[in-house]
Amino acid sequence: METAEFLKTLDQEGRLLGGAAEEAGTGAEVPTCPGWRVRDLLRHTGAVHRWATELVAEGHTEPRPAGDLPDLDGADLIGWYRDGHRRLVDTLAAAPADLDCWTFHPAPCPSPLAFWTRRQAHETTVHRYDAEAARGGTPAPVATDFAADGIDELLRGFHARPRSRVRTETPRVLRVRATDAGPNAVWTVRLSAEPPVTSRDASEEAEAELSGPAGRLYLALWNRATVPTVTGDRALADLWRETSQI
């Protein structure tokens, strides 16, 4: 996907998040994030949006702490969230293609601008789903190509970092396959006592496979839904569910 496509998705998903939060009310429970209410979801996502905006707008080449969460609720909190989302979209839209700033995981991306637009599109989409789960009804689906990209970012980005807790005492091999995203939408995840190492292939025999339509698999890997299909050793699916939280 191109950066412009990620920006469009970020814009749309952020608007949907705000609308669902307003309909649910800030006191509603978020069933996909146990212990959270919509106010927690808005404060978290809004703070992340502002953090990313500062990094991009000011071209920071070293990590910066996120700001404090606001002491707001109700309509004021929803307005604060919407303002931060709008500023993030506008900042990314205006940023130069040769932007130089800090990024934080190794998933392949052509530039820092592409990294942040992609990262915030996925951040916002996952939390849009959370807001819609809190509102009730059927959440909007995640587009196939976008979901497949998000699976790649999660496996080859987030879980390639030292902080990933998906570890095994002895080497194991897990396969992830999006069944509706083309023949290349398959990943082999090699687990050990070190951070997972993921490649986009199916050349090695796997002990378990997590598979299903990309949109549903994306949500499952982010622990928002159950894995559509598990074959082989189900203990590896359980390991993912228990240790992959970010």
Side-chain angles (χ1 to χ4, degrees):
M1 293 180 64
E2 300 294 328
T3 300
E5 296 175 274
F6 287 120
L7 185 64
K8 181 178 179 181
T9 298
L10 169 60
D11 188 15
Q12 292 173 339
E13 294 286 333
R15 291 173 185 268
L16 288 172
L17 193 163
E22 187 170 40
E23 291 178 41
T26 57
E29 294 183 355
V30 183
T32 48
C33 299
W36 271 19
R37 295 186 181 272
V38 168
R39 65 176 62 90
D40 303 300
L41 181 65
L42 290 172
R43 289 167 182 163
H44 165 79
T45 311
V48 170
H49 285 172
R50 282 167 165 75
W51 174 66
T53 297
E54 179 184 352
L55 287 164
V56 171
E58 300 182 14
H60 292 294
T61 56
E62 298 291 334
R64 303 275 293 186
D68 294 333
L69 301 182
D71 185 19
L72 299 171
D73 205 351
D76 289 341
L77 178 59
I78 293 168
W80 175 87
Y81 160 78
R82 283 176 164 151
D83 179 63
H85 170 250
R86 183 75 260 149
R87 287 173 54 203
L88 173 62
V89 171
D90 290 347
T91 296
L92 289 167
D98 62 351
L99 170 73
D100 181 22
C101 71
W102 175 75
T103 60
F104 65 87
H105 69 55
C109 227
S111 69
L113 178 59
F115 172 93
W116 281 109
T117 310
R118 179 195 199 194
R119 173 82 292 280
Q120 291 305 303
H122 287 297
E123 175 84 13
T124 306
T125 298
V126 171
H127 289 316
R128 181 271 298 169
Y129 183 86
D130 294 332
E132 291 183 345
R135 179 197 61 195
T138 302
V142 180
T144 297
D145 288 349
F146 179 76
D149 178 84
I151 293 170
D152 189 73
E153 190 217 25
L154 179 63
L155 296 178
R156 296 205 290 163
F158 276 101
H159 286 291
R161 300 186 300 167
R163 67 178 61 185
S164 175
R165 296 186 299 111
V166 184
R167 311 284 180 105
T168 56
E169 292 184 4
T170 58
R172 307 292 301 276
V173 180
L174 174 68
R175 182 100 70 237
V176 176
R177 188 186 305 271
T179 56
D180 59 346
N184 295 322
V186 58
W187 297 262
T188 296
V189 186
R190 296 167 181 84
L191 303 174
S192 69
E194 300 298 320
V197 176
T198 300
S199 58
R200 293 200 68 160
D201 60 51
S203 60
E204 184 175 348
E205 185 175 350
E207 297 161 79
E209 179 170 298
L210 313 182
S211 63
R216 291 174 60 194
L217 191 59
Y218 172 83
L219 293 170
L221 293 172
W222 276 106
N223 291 300
R224 263 58 182 190
T226 57
V227 176
T229 303
V230 179
T231 56
D233 187 352
R234 297 190 67 89
L236 286 181
D238 294 339
L239 174 74
W240 182 272
R241 185 183 65 252
E242 294 164 2
T243 63
S244 65
Q245 289 82 1
I246 293 174

